[in-house]
Amino acid sequence: MFVGDSMTIGSAGEHTWRYRMWHHLRATLGDEGFAVVGPRTALHDKATGEPLSHAYADPAADFPRHHLAGWGEGWQHLAPRIAEALTRDPADVLLVSLGLIDLGFYTNAEQTAHHVRAFVERARAANPRIRMVLLPVIPNIRAESDAPFAAEVARFNELLAKAVANLDTGTSPLLLASRPPSYDIHLDTYDGTHPNASGEHKLAGAFADALAQAWGIGGPYAGVVAPGPVAPEAVMTPSG
């Protein structure tokens, strides 16, 4: 199950990193080696401001669009929903990319870390053997010009690493993915925050490599990760 914010749900006309990850899993595990589940299937529609679009860049019918992601949603929004989502759509592994929206508009680093712990507890209540891969908050346009916010992001990423280490168990392992080392907001996003095609590949690669290296699931990411076009100047908004 893919869990995330606007970078994970994506918007109308995009492929999404979920799509890139699906291609990777098909190539390494085969069509019968995995399943993608989740209570939602839509993309965000910027025209209406609602998650109502199904206009994926690739309309292939066999792409499993399921996820638990929302434009403007963070740890504090999805922690209360994860148990119900896992009860409705049982999953063995969660791939989670959250935190930017929390820190940008709702909570500080310590409060956000508290919501991480609540998320883990509620996920385990639904599935005591759930495995989770968590991605740190990656570079974004606001952190380039807002030093206090950048410091808060750095602090949260430290707390996230500590939470993963403290909450990891043999029964329900947690894994901290590595930030894509070559990720550049001026090359890998279309607005300083949301991934373009190369950014999608790099996010998928971060999760794919973590799964392969730590748990032997799939293999190293082999998708295209060349930089995309330079992103226009933009700002992060609370809805995105």
Side-chain angles (χ1 to χ4, degrees):
M1 185 183 295
F2 301 110
V3 182
D5 52 27
S6 54
M7 291 183 285
T8 298
I9 185 175
S11 59
E14 297 175 13
H15 285 92
T16 76
W17 72 262
R18 298 182 280 114
Y19 173 86
R20 312 297 185 181
M21 188 66 181
W22 168 65
H23 268 290
H24 167 76
L25 293 173
R26 289 182 79 186
T28 56
L29 298 177
D31 288 337
E32 303 303 319
F34 72 103
V36 175
V37 301
R40 304 173 182 175
T41 59
L43 294 159
H44 180 73
D45 187 334
K46 292 181 180 179
T48 65
E50 299 292 337
L52 300 173
S53 175
H54 287 85
Y56 284 84
D58 184 350
D62 55 345
F63 168 44
R65 293 157 171 77
H66 307 287
H67 62 81
L68 177 63
W71 200 271
E73 295 187 61
W75 286 106
Q76 74 163 5
H77 304 90
L78 296 183
R81 299 175 182 168
I82 187 60
E84 180 182 0
L86 286 171
T87 300
R88 178 188 183 276
D89 298 293
D92 301 309
V93 178
L94 302 179
L95 304 182
V96 187
S97 174
L98 289 169
L100 179 58
I101 290 298
D102 301 82
L103 298 169
F105 303 100
Y106 303 113
T107 54
N108 61 27
E110 285 71 18
Q111 292 166 332
T112 306
H114 170 78
H115 292 306
V116 172
R117 290 177 177 273
F119 180 98
V120 172
E121 291 172 1
R122 290 167 181 169
R124 287 173 170 169
N127 178 0
R129 304 187 68 83
I130 192 75
R131 290 192 277 182
M132 293 173 253
V133 184
L134 313 182
L135 184 70
V137 175
I138 62 173
N140 60 87
I141 191 70
R142 180 170 170 180
E144 275 206 340
S145 58
D146 185 338
F149 176 70
E152 205 68 23
V153 169
R155 173 61 176 158
F156 170 72
N157 282 342
E158 291 175 358
L159 293 174
L160 181 65
K162 291 178 180 178
V164 168
N166 293 337
L167 298 174
D168 180 47
T169 70
T171 302
S172 175
L174 299 184
L175 182 61
L176 186 68
S178 297
R179 190 187 89 176
S182 63
Y183 199 86
D184 185 332
I185 65 170
H186 303 290
L187 299 175
D188 299 315
T189 77
Y190 61 80
D191 63 356
T193 298
H194 301 95
N196 58 19
S198 66
E200 291 171 357
H201 279 293
K202 290 180 180 180
L203 291 179
F207 283 103
D209 291 345
L211 288 173
Q213 293 167 11
W215 298 334
I217 297 176
Y221 192 71
V224 177
V225 293
V230 175
E233 182 178 358
V235 297
M236 189 175 72
T237 64
S239 61

